[in-house]
C-alpha cells in the first residue's frame, strides 16, 4: 500500500476509512458537518459576515463612479470603449470573491487550527483530514458567494451589466472563491505564527492593484504584461469582464481551467497537510 503518512497513526484516532481508502484525496460528504458547524457559529456573528460586502462597494462608488466621471471611457475587451465604472465593476467583483475566500481560509483557518483546536476535535470523529479541508473550502465558497451575489445586485441596479452573459458572473465568482480558498488554506498549513500572514498581504494587495483592476493591460510594458497574465486574479478579472461586457469566446475556457486546476491542487495539498499536522 502506498504511504499516505497515516498508516502509522493509531486506529483509535484515525478512522478506518482513512487507511483503507487513500484515493479519496479531496474529501467526501462528511465535510458538510463542518459547514453546518460554521453556519451555526455565524448565526451569532451575522454582522461580521455581512461586512465583507462594504469594501468593494465603497471602491466602486468612489473610484468606478466618482473618478469615472473624470476618466470617461477606457478600452474594454477587444478594444471596445466602455465606461470606466463598467470596466471596474467586474474586477471589483472578482476581488471581492478573492478577499472573502482568502480571509476565511487563512486567518480563520489558522485560529481554528492552532488555538480553537476545532480540527483536532473534528478528526476525533469519522471525518478525515480531506473532509476537513473540503468542508472549510465549501464554507469559504458560501461566504464568497454571498458577497458576490450582493455585489452583483448592486452593479445590476447601477446598470453596469451590459450583456446577457452576465448571468455567468456568479458561477465565475464561486470558481474564483474555490481557487483562492483552497490555495489559501494550503498555504496556511505551512504558517507558524501570525507574523507569517504578512505574506498574505504581500501577495493579495499587489494582485488587487495590478491585475487590470483599475486600468487596461496595455498600460504595462510587454514583459510586465506577460507576468500579469500569469497571475490568478487576472484570470478571474478577465473572465468576469468578458461575461459582463459580452466579450465571450472559447478563450474564456482557459481562465476557467486555470482557476479549477488551482483550486483542486490547493484542496489536495490542504487535505494532506491537515493530516500530517494533526495525525502524525
Amino acid at each position: 500500500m502506498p504511504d499516505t503518512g497515516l498508516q502509522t497513526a493509531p486506529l483509535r484516532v484515525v478512522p478506518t476509512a482513512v487507511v483503507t481508502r487513500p484515493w479519496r484525496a479531496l474529501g467526501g460528504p462528511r465535510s458538510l458537518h463542518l459547514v453546518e458547524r460554521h453556519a451555526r457559529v455565524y448565526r451569532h456573528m451575522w454582522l461580521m459576515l455581512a461586512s465583507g460586502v462594504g469594501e468593494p462597494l465603497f471602491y466602486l462608488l468612489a473610484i468606478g463612479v466618482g473618478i469615472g466621471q473624470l476618466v470617461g471611457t477606457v478600452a474594454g475587451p477587444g478594444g471596445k470603449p466602455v465606461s470606466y465604472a463598467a470596466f471596474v465593476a467586474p474586477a471589483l467583483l472578482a476581488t471581492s470573491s478573492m478577499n472573502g475566500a482568502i480571509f476565511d481560509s487563512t486567518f480563520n483557518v489558522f485560529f481554528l487550527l492552532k488555538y480553537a483546536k476545532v480540527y483536532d476535535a473534528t478528526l476525533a470523529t469519522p471525518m478525515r483530514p480531506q473532509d476537513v479541508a473540503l468542508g472549510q473550502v465549501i464554507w469559504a465558497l458560501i461566504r464568497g458567494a454571498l458577497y458576490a451575489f450582493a455585489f452583483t445586485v448592486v452593479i445590476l441596479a447601477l446598470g453596469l451589466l451590459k450583456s446577457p452573459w452576465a448571468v455567468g458572473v456568479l458561477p465565475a465568482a464561486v470558481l474564483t472563491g474555490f481557487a483562492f480558498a483552497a490555495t489559501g488554506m494550503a498555504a496556511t498549513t505551512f504558517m507558524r505564527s501570525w507574523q507569517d500572514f504578512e505574506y498574505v498581504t504581500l501577495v493579495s494587495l499587489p494582485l488587487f492593484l495590478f491585475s487590470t483592476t483599475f486600468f487596461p493591460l496595455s498600460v504595462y510594458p510587454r514583459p510586465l504584461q506577460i507576468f500579469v497574465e500569469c497571475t490568478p486574479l487576472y484570470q478571474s478579472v478577465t473572465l468576469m469582464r468578458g461575461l459582463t461586457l459580452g466579450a465571450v469566446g472559447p478563450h474564456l475556457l482557459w481562465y476557467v481551467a486555470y482557476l479549477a486546476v488551482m483550486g483542486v491542487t490547493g484542496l489536495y495539498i490542504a487535505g494532506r497537510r491537515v493530516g500530517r499536522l494533526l495525525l502524525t
Side-chain angles (χ1 to χ4, degrees):
M1 178 181 295
D3 181 14
T4 63
L6 300 178
Q7 280 77 16
T8 57
L11 289 179
R12 64 181 179 85
V13 175
V14 184
T16 306
V18 176
V19 179
T20 58
R21 302 183 198 176
W23 57 85
R24 293 180 60 186
L26 298 179
R30 292 190 184 99
S31 59
L32 297 179
H33 295 301
L34 187 60
V35 176
E36 180 185 2
R37 180 263 173 199
H38 290 331
R40 289 179 179 274
V41 169
Y42 272 92
R43 284 189 307 173
H44 308 288
M45 297 188 296
W46 63 268
L47 188 60
M48 181 185 298
L49 190 65
S51 63
V53 180
E55 182 181 0
L57 178 59
F58 295 150
Y59 272 112
L60 177 62
L61 296 178
I63 298 178
V65 178
I67 297 179
Q69 298 297 319
L70 303 175
V71 174
T73 60
V74 295
K80 180 181 178 181
V82 297
S83 70
Y84 188 66
F87 179 84
V88 169
L92 291 177
L93 176 57
T95 302
S96 175
S97 302
M98 178 190 75
N99 287 340
I102 285 181
F103 179 85
D104 214 272
S105 63
T106 54
F107 297 96
N108 194 30
V109 165
F110 190 79
F111 177 78
L112 296 177
L113 181 65
K114 299 291 186 179
Y115 296 95
K117 303 296 182 181
V118 169
Y119 300 149
D120 296 76
T122 301
L123 292 178
T125 72
M127 290 182 65
R128 303 172 297 123
Q130 292 83 358
D131 297 324
V132 170
L134 181 60
Q136 189 64 48
V137 168
I138 291 175
W139 174 250
L141 289 184
I142 293 173
R143 185 171 179 173
L146 290 175
Y147 294 166
F149 177 77
F151 191 73
T152 301
V153 170
V154 171
I155 62 178
L156 176 63
L158 293 175
L160 300 178
L161 299 181
K162 305 295 184 179
S163 167
W165 288 101
V167 297
V169 296
L170 192 57
V174 172
L175 179 60
T176 300
F178 171 59
F180 282 99
T183 304
M185 185 172 183
T188 302
T189 60
F190 290 93
M191 295 181 182
R192 296 164 295 179
S193 68
W194 291 109
Q195 285 71 27
D196 291 337
F197 283 92
E198 294 177 1
Y199 295 110
V200 175
T201 304
L202 183 64
V203 173
S204 61
L205 185 58
L207 284 177
F208 167 56
L209 294 175
F210 299 110
S211 297
T212 69
T213 308
F214 299 110
F215 32 78
L217 184 66
S218 58
V219 303
Y220 297 122
R222 184 54 189 163
L224 192 54
Q225 288 182 20
I226 296 174
F227 177 78
V228 170
E229 289 172 339
C230 295
T231 58
L233 185 59
Y234 172 81
Q235 319 299 319
S236 178
V237 168
T238 308
L239 174 62
M240 293 192 192
R241 190 168 282 151
L243 291 171
T244 58
L245 298 179
V248 177
H251 65 285
L252 295 185
L253 296 177
W254 158 254
Y255 307 125
V256 172
Y258 180 112
L259 294 170
V261 170
M262 177 180 169
V264 170
T265 302
L267 182 59
Y268 175 78
I269 295 173
R272 294 283 298 223
R273 285 288 301 167
V274 169
R276 183 170 298 179
L277 289 172
L278 300 181
L279 295 179
T280 57

